[in-house]
């Protein structure tokens, strides 16, 4: 039987977490991965300053529904007082958890002293952790990288600071701030952090298959796994991980994969009020869903010009039908990725 996982006072049904991804983990996507079995979903990065100035765009990022609960909202910022006030406001919106971003290495975030920049300023990070912890009653987590070099010492230091400041769990993505998503994640750093802490440790990085998730849990001793880019075009990965953790092996059906893809497309168009902007956003997302399938290059080429709901649904349906036919269908089934059509 799959073990449950607890952060603070919140018990999760699965030790699997959807990583916060800017431009991806909006409400339609979170609802989809939650339905697929993710134990916890996390919002896109939310600016503490945006909360303070009551930006409509910022508050939109936290729009939620009961079906996705519990929801964790990820905050980024570099001013302890602002982070504390922003956290209070996030809690007031009904979020069940707050995550502090100490891992983003995008230049515009680093320039504000936020994200991975805090790993180079442990004293400031400590101030922020303590200020936010004092401001809220809901669980608090911190997501970090291995640091600014490959030693992992930065993660060890920040993780200890977080625990001492009252943080309820830490997530470790063991790539350096300069690596971005290049190279390989050094899982040994997750193991080191886990051995040094008493609070839960969440492992993140290079989980592409259910077997990867199980291997990370086994080799590092971490309490839960966080899935990022691999879930963008394959939300059912959570379902397969949960099955494996329960001793089963589940293969998705191609028809279910396309049904999920169609639903994500239509839900996203409903979420974004502007049809053209929604279609423009979904062009790349649909490409992720067909990655590795026969004829996916031709599909992506057509998808980059999508501008209406009708065009998008027609493209999805036409491609699905192509994969049902003769040689195309044989290639799909031979790949072993799907159980049947």
């Amino acid at each position: 039987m799959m073990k449950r996982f607890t952060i603070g006072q919140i018990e999760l049904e699965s030790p699997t977490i959807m990583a916060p991804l800017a431009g991806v983990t909006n409400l339609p996507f979170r609802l989809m991965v939650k339905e697929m079995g993710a134990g916890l979903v996390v919002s896109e990065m939310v600016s503490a300053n945006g909360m303070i100035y009551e930006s409509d765009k910022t508050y939109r990022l936290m729009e939620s529904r009961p079906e996705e609960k519990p929801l964790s909202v990820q905050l980024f910022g570099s001013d302890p007082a602002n982070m504390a006030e922003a956290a209070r406001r996030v809690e007031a919106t009904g979020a069940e958890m707050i995550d502090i971003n100490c891992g983003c290495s995008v230049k515009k975030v680093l320039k504000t002293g936020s994200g991975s920049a805090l790993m180079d300023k442990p004293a400031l990070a400590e101030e922020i952790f303590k200020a936010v912890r004092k401001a809220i009653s809901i669980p608090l987590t911190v997501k970090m990288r291995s640091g600014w070099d490959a030693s992992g010492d930065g993660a060890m230091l920040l993780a200890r600071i977080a625990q001492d400041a009252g943080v309820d769990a830490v997530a470790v993505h063991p790539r350096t701030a300069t690596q971005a998503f290049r190279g390989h994640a050094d899982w040994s750093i997750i193991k080191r952090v886990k051995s040094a802490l008493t609070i839960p440790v969440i492992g993140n990085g290079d989980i592409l298959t259910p077997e990867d998730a199980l291997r990370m849990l086994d080799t590092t001793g971490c309490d839960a796994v966080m899935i990022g880019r691999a879930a963008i075009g394959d939300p059912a990965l959570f379902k397969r991980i949960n099955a494996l953790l329960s001793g089963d092996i589940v293969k998705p059906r191609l028809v279910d994969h396309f049904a999920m893809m169609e639903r994500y497309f239509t839900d996203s168009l409903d979420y974004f009020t502007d049809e053209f902007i929604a279609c423009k956003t979904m062009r790349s997302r649909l490409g992720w869903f067909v990655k590795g399938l026969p004829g996916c290059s031709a599909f992506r080429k057509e998808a980059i010009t999508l501008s209406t709901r009708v065009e998008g649904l027609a493209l999805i349906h036409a491609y699905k039908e192509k994969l049902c036919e003769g040689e195309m269908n044989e290639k799909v089934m031979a790949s072993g990725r799907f159980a049947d059509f």
Side-chain angles (χ1 to χ4, degrees):
M1 186 176 183
M2 181 172 58
K3 71 171 185 176
R4 295 198 171 200
F5 171 54
T6 301
I7 300 178
Q9 69 269 31
I10 296 179
E11 184 180 63
L12 307 178
E13 294 183 357
S14 161
T16 57
I17 300 170
M18 180 65 220
L21 294 172
V24 176
T25 51
N26 56 22
L27 180 59
F29 187 84
R30 297 196 309 266
L31 287 169
M32 182 171 55
V33 295
K34 183 66 178 180
E35 187 176 310
M36 286 296 106
L40 179 68
V41 292
V42 189
S43 73
E44 300 179 62
M45 286 192 304
V46 171
S47 164
N49 288 340
M51 291 293 298
I52 299 299
Y53 292 114
E54 300 185 341
S55 160
D56 290 340
K57 187 176 180 181
T58 298
Y59 272 84
R60 173 78 161 156
L61 296 174
M62 297 181 292
E63 184 179 328
S64 183
R65 289 185 193 165
E67 307 96 277
E68 70 169 336
K69 301 295 185 179
L71 170 66
S72 175
V73 170
Q74 188 184 69
L75 279 177
F76 76 95
S78 59
D79 180 88
N82 281 359
M83 286 287 283
E85 178 57 28
R88 274 190 285 268
R89 297 185 186 193
V90 169
E91 183 173 20
T93 68
E96 286 78 17
M97 197 177 302
I98 289 175
D99 181 65
I100 296 176
N101 185 320
C102 290
C104 183
S105 57
V106 174
K107 285 183 180 179
K108 66 179 181 180
V109 173
L110 294 178
K111 282 197 303 185
T112 68
S114 310
S116 292
L118 290 173
M119 297 203 71
D120 205 29
K121 298 178 180 178
L124 176 58
E126 182 176 20
E127 281 188 64
I128 290 172
F129 299 162
K130 288 180 176 178
V132 173
R133 177 69 284 167
K134 187 177 179 180
I136 60 173
S137 60
I138 56 178
L140 175 64
T141 64
V142 172
K143 187 172 189 293
M144 65 187 72
R145 285 182 173 257
S146 54
W148 282 90
D149 61 51
S151 69
D153 292 345
M156 290 293 290
L157 175 61
L158 197 69
R160 288 192 178 102
I161 288 172
Q163 177 171 273
D164 292 345
V167 169
D168 296 289
V170 298
V172 181
H173 179 182
R175 282 183 170 91
T176 66
T178 53
Q179 265 185 286
F181 294 105
R182 297 184 299 274
H184 296 287
D186 183 357
W187 289 3
S188 69
I189 294 172
I190 300 172
K191 184 175 183 178
R192 285 176 61 200
V193 172
K194 174 59 186 173
S195 67
L197 302 189
T198 57
I199 60 174
V201 174
I202 302 155
N204 177 219
D206 291 351
I207 297 178
L208 305 178
T209 67
E211 291 74 19
D212 290 336
L214 188 61
R215 186 164 55 89
M216 178 182 278
L217 289 164
D218 287 344
T219 60
T220 70
C222 66
D223 301 279
V225 291
M226 179 175 277
I227 319 298
R229 292 168 296 159
I232 298 177
D234 185 16
L237 177 58
F238 288 99
K239 185 176 182 179
R240 300 199 302 280
I241 291 172
N242 290 340
L244 188 61
L245 291 176
S246 298
D248 297 322
I249 295 177
V250 172
K251 278 189 177 181
R253 296 192 310 153
L254 186 61
V255 65
D256 294 331
H257 182 72
F258 272 91
M260 187 161 41
M261 181 179 174
E262 181 177 331
R263 174 190 159 186
Y264 179 37
F265 178 73
T266 56
D267 285 355
S268 294
L269 264 67
D270 292 339
Y271 176 72
F272 293 101
T273 53
D274 187 301
E275 183 177 27
F276 177 74
I277 291 176
C279 285
K280 192 174 179 180
T281 301
M282 290 302 295
R283 291 169 184 172
S284 61
R285 303 289 175 264
L286 294 181
W288 278 81
F289 269 82
V290 302
K291 187 177 181 181
L293 291 175
C296 63
S297 296
F299 176 92
R300 284 198 297 266
K301 188 175 180 180
E302 290 189 62
I304 60 174
T305 62
L306 282 182
S307 58
T308 69
R309 182 187 297 259
V310 171
E311 289 174 357
L313 291 176
L315 179 61
I316 293 169
H317 292 163
Y319 186 49
K320 180 177 73 171
E321 290 306 312
K322 278 185 181 179
L323 295 184
C324 295
E325 298 172 0
E327 187 179 333
M328 278 277 214
N329 186 245
E330 290 175 16
K331 286 181 179 179
V332 174
M333 294 303 111
S335 71
R337 180 177 168 186
F338 296 97
D340 55 45
F341 183 76

